[in-house]
Amino acid sequence: MNDKTQYWLDLADYDIETARAMLQTKRLLYVGFMCHQTAEKALKAIIANNDDAPPKIHGLMKLAQLGGVYDTMSEEQKDLLDTLDPLNIAARYPEQKAKLAAMLTLETCKNILTETEALLCWTKQLL
């Protein structure tokens, strides 16, 4: 594993810890946001491990495709990417926050966090 790959994995580990802390304090909007960040950085680690510079994009499906792993992902993993993708941008804008907050229940966030942890573990196994 090269230094750039480790850099992205370290960031992903930090973000998943932040997501856990946000769940404990019931800041549910930020659980989703930090899970998106975790997935994004894990996918960028895969790209970096291929000796490519990860692009400055946030679309999770596109990052998985660029990393060459999208076709090997399970349907559950692809569904997770679909769930997380809008949480990156929408969590940043006030007009979207109320709508998202209504969708992100405690149970939903627990599930998203568990699935993101599994995605991160899967990513590390690939590397």
Side-chain angles (χ1 to χ4, degrees):
M1 187 179 314
N2 64 44
D3 289 345
K4 290 178 184 176
T5 302
Q6 190 61 54
Y7 166 80
W8 288 106
L9 284 179
D10 289 346
L11 291 174
D13 286 337
Y14 185 88
D15 288 345
I16 200 69
E17 286 298 321
T18 302
R20 290 180 188 124
M22 293 296 97
L23 185 65
Q24 287 179 339
T25 59
K26 296 184 175 55
R27 298 183 66 94
L28 303 182
L29 183 62
Y30 293 99
V31 173
F33 178 71
M34 295 313 300
C35 284
H36 179 284
Q37 292 296 296
T38 300
E40 179 180 330
K41 290 165 185 166
L43 293 168
K44 287 183 176 185
I46 290 171
I47 294 169
N49 201 53
N50 295 333
D51 287 327
D52 295 328
K56 295 179 181 179
I57 63 170
H58 308 290
L60 300 178
M61 279 74 71
K62 182 67 175 174
L63 289 169
Q65 290 165 347
L66 291 171
V69 296
Y70 187 79
D71 291 335
T72 65
M73 296 178 93
S74 69
E75 286 306 311
E76 291 80 15
Q77 289 171 320
K78 291 176 183 177
D79 288 345
L80 176 63
L81 300 186
D82 285 337
T83 298
L84 293 177
D85 228 16
L87 298 178
N88 179 52
I89 300 300
R92 298 179 186 203
Y93 296 100
E95 64 272 11
Q96 300 288 330
K97 284 185 180 183
K99 186 171 143 182
L100 276 177
M103 294 172 25
L104 293 173
T105 65
L106 183 60
E107 194 61 34
T108 300
C109 286
K110 285 179 182 178
N111 290 336
I112 289 171
L113 179 60
T114 299
E115 291 176 26
T116 304
E117 289 169 333
L119 180 71
L120 180 58
C121 183
W122 175 80
T123 302
K124 290 176 178 180
Q125 289 173 350
L126 288 176
L127 298 170

